[in-house]
Amino acid sequence: MGLYACRPRAGVGGLRSADPSSRRPRIAAAWLFFSFLLGGCAVPNVKPFADATAAYREAITTAGATVADALRRGSAPETAPEAARLWSVRVRAADALVYYAGGLSNIVAASRGAADSAQRLGDTVGELAALVPTTGAMGKEVVAIGAVIGRTVVEVKAARDLAGAVEKAHPALAQIAEILKKDLWDLKALCANAYTDIDQGLVNAWRPNQGHYEKLVEAVVRARSEAAMAGFDAPSVGRLRELEGLLAAREVEFGRHRDARATVAVQRAAAKEMLDQAITGTDDWVRTHAEIGAALRENRLPNIALLMSRAQEIENAVRRIRTR
């Protein structure tokens, strides 16, 4: 029974462009193509899973860069390089998932015997130990991952077929995904603080002008009343026009301040959505991987639409942050 009788067309792997705006149409097209595959081919093919994992990894990498950018705009820009460095280390958890998904795709594509496939998948799982980060929200737990991976390799290689090998590998991979998920929670808190800091900086910058602006508003209201009482004679109208001119200038300044705060509010909401989607995406990845074993056992395509959709939602949120 062939494990790779339905190959995707060349070019589907083009989800890895560095520019999210250029990736968007490719991801959408790939998603539609994968959906076509799901409905039109009954032979297992896990390359879409590898492609979706790569797209998801790029999305969360962009999330980290977005937070670093928010820090650079805050009151402590010197913290941005260190945050970017730490996040690049944490992205190694996502790299491990990409490496595994790519290895699994290659094994399925090779269509070798059950024993050989299980051995090769076991080797792939064993190589993940070097990719899992040793820092992050689960520092102590990461140390224990090495032992878990060691036991998992033995169990995977002992499996009778590739479906069983995937099922044996699942618990260790779920733990790696959990490391990434908890680090994303840390990033979400850091991001919220960064945008609060940016907004507070705007408030602080406008504060010296606030009192003068409010006094001008009061003065214009009073001048209009006095001009009416004076029958709009030349002196009262002249004074009113002078005050209205001063207020108009301040209104322009206040409008820029108001617009800047509105932009930050939109960016903060989009960043929250971006990280919420990334956090949920780790659960989607785990669920999708669990379904891979069943798809291989039943000789059908795995459903990767949810994972691909999650990566697209993250990129949509990033685009809202960058275009405001």
Side-chain angles (χ1 to χ4, degrees), residues 86-112:
L86 288 174
W87 185 242
S88 69
V89 174
R90 295 177 179 195
V91 166
R92 289 179 65 191
D95 289 338
L97 300 183
V98 171
Y99 183 83
Y100 170 84
L104 176 59
S105 175
N106 291 337
I107 291 168
V108 173
S111 302
R112 298 188 179 180

Side-chain angles (χ1 to χ4, degrees), residues 47-117:
K47 188 178 184 301
F49 173 64
D51 289 334
T53 303
Y56 174 68
R57 184 264 185 204
E58 289 193 5
I60 64 171
T61 302
T62 304
T66 301
V67 174
D69 178 67
L71 289 171
R72 280 190 290 270
R73 295 161 53 198
S75 62
E78 67 279 3
T79 64
E82 178 65 7
R85 186 190 68 80
L86 288 174
W87 185 242
S88 69
V89 174
R90 295 177 179 195
V91 166
R92 289 179 65 191
D95 289 338
L97 300 183
V98 171
Y99 183 83
Y100 170 84
L104 176 59
S105 175
N106 291 337
I107 291 168
V108 173
S111 302
R112 298 188 179 180
D116 182 69
S117 294

Side-chain angles (χ1 to χ4, degrees), residues 10-59:
V12 172
L15 296 172
R16 303 180 185 181
S17 167
D19 180 7
S21 63
S22 67
R23 286 199 307 269
R24 180 170 61 89
R26 295 182 181 181
I27 288 179
W31 183 14
L32 289 174
F33 181 61
F34 295 156
S35 298
F36 169 76
L37 286 176
L38 294 176
C41 178
V43 180
N45 173 21
V46 299
K47 188 178 184 301
F49 173 64
D51 289 334
T53 303
Y56 174 68
R57 184 264 185 204
E58 289 193 5

Side-chain angles (χ1 to χ4, degrees), residues 13-284:
L15 296 172
R16 303 180 185 181
S17 167
D19 180 7
S21 63
S22 67
R23 286 199 307 269
R24 180 170 61 89
R26 295 182 181 181
I27 288 179
W31 183 14
L32 289 174
F33 181 61
F34 295 156
S35 298
F36 169 76
L37 286 176
L38 294 176
C41 178
V43 180
N45 173 21
V46 299
K47 188 178 184 301
F49 173 64
D51 289 334
T53 303
Y56 174 68
R57 184 264 185 204
E58 289 193 5
I60 64 171
T61 302
T62 304
T66 301
V67 174
D69 178 67
L71 289 171
R72 280 190 290 270
R73 295 161 53 198
S75 62
E78 67 279 3
T79 64
E82 178 65 7
R85 186 190 68 80
L86 288 174
W87 185 242
S88 69
V89 174
R90 295 177 179 195
V91 166
R92 289 179 65 191
D95 289 338
L97 300 183
V98 171
Y99 183 83
Y100 170 84
L104 176 59
S105 175
N106 291 337
I107 291 168
V108 173
S111 302
R112 298 188 179 180
D116 182 69
S117 294
Q119 290 291 314
R120 292 181 65 201
L121 188 65
D123 291 338
T124 299
V125 172
E127 290 160 3
L128 298 183
L131 294 175
V132 179
T134 56
T135 61
M138 295 180 68
K140 293 181 180 179
E141 288 86 342
V142 169
V143 175
I145 280 274
V148 172
I149 288 176
R151 293 194 302 271
T152 301
V153 169
V154 175
E155 294 173 356
V156 170
K157 290 187 174 184
R160 286 189 263 178
D161 54 30
L162 185 55
V166 169
E167 291 163 356
K168 293 294 185 182
H170 185 75
L173 291 161
Q175 288 190 43
I176 294 173
E178 188 66 17
I179 292 171
L180 179 58
K181 182 179 179 179
K182 291 194 175 183
D183 277 341
L184 282 165
W185 275 110
D186 280 355
L187 194 67
K188 180 180 175 180
L190 188 63
C191 187
N193 292 338
Y195 277 110
T196 297
D197 186 48
I198 293 171
D199 184 65
Q200 188 60 49
L202 293 172
V203 171
N204 293 342
W206 174 252
R207 186 170 286 125
N209 303 317
Q210 184 68 31
H212 186 216
Y213 173 76
E214 291 175 351
K215 288 180 180 178
L216 273 176
V217 172
E218 294 174 358
V220 167
V221 171
R222 187 166 53 252
R224 286 172 180 167
S225 177
E226 291 172 353
M229 292 177 63
F232 295 101
D233 58 10
S236 64
V237 170
R239 176 59 177 164
L240 174 60
R241 286 177 177 173
E242 178 185 0
L243 289 171
E244 286 179 336
L246 292 172
L247 179 60
R250 284 296 182 185
E251 283 284 7
V252 172
E253 295 175 8
F254 181 65
R256 285 196 291 263
H257 164 71
R258 184 177 56 242
D259 291 345
R261 290 195 70 192
T263 294
V264 169
V266 170
Q267 291 175 336
R268 176 165 49 194
K272 179 181 181 300
E273 179 185 351
M274 168 186 71
L275 289 162
D276 283 342
Q277 294 282 3
I279 289 166
T280 305
T282 60
D283 294 331
D284 293 339

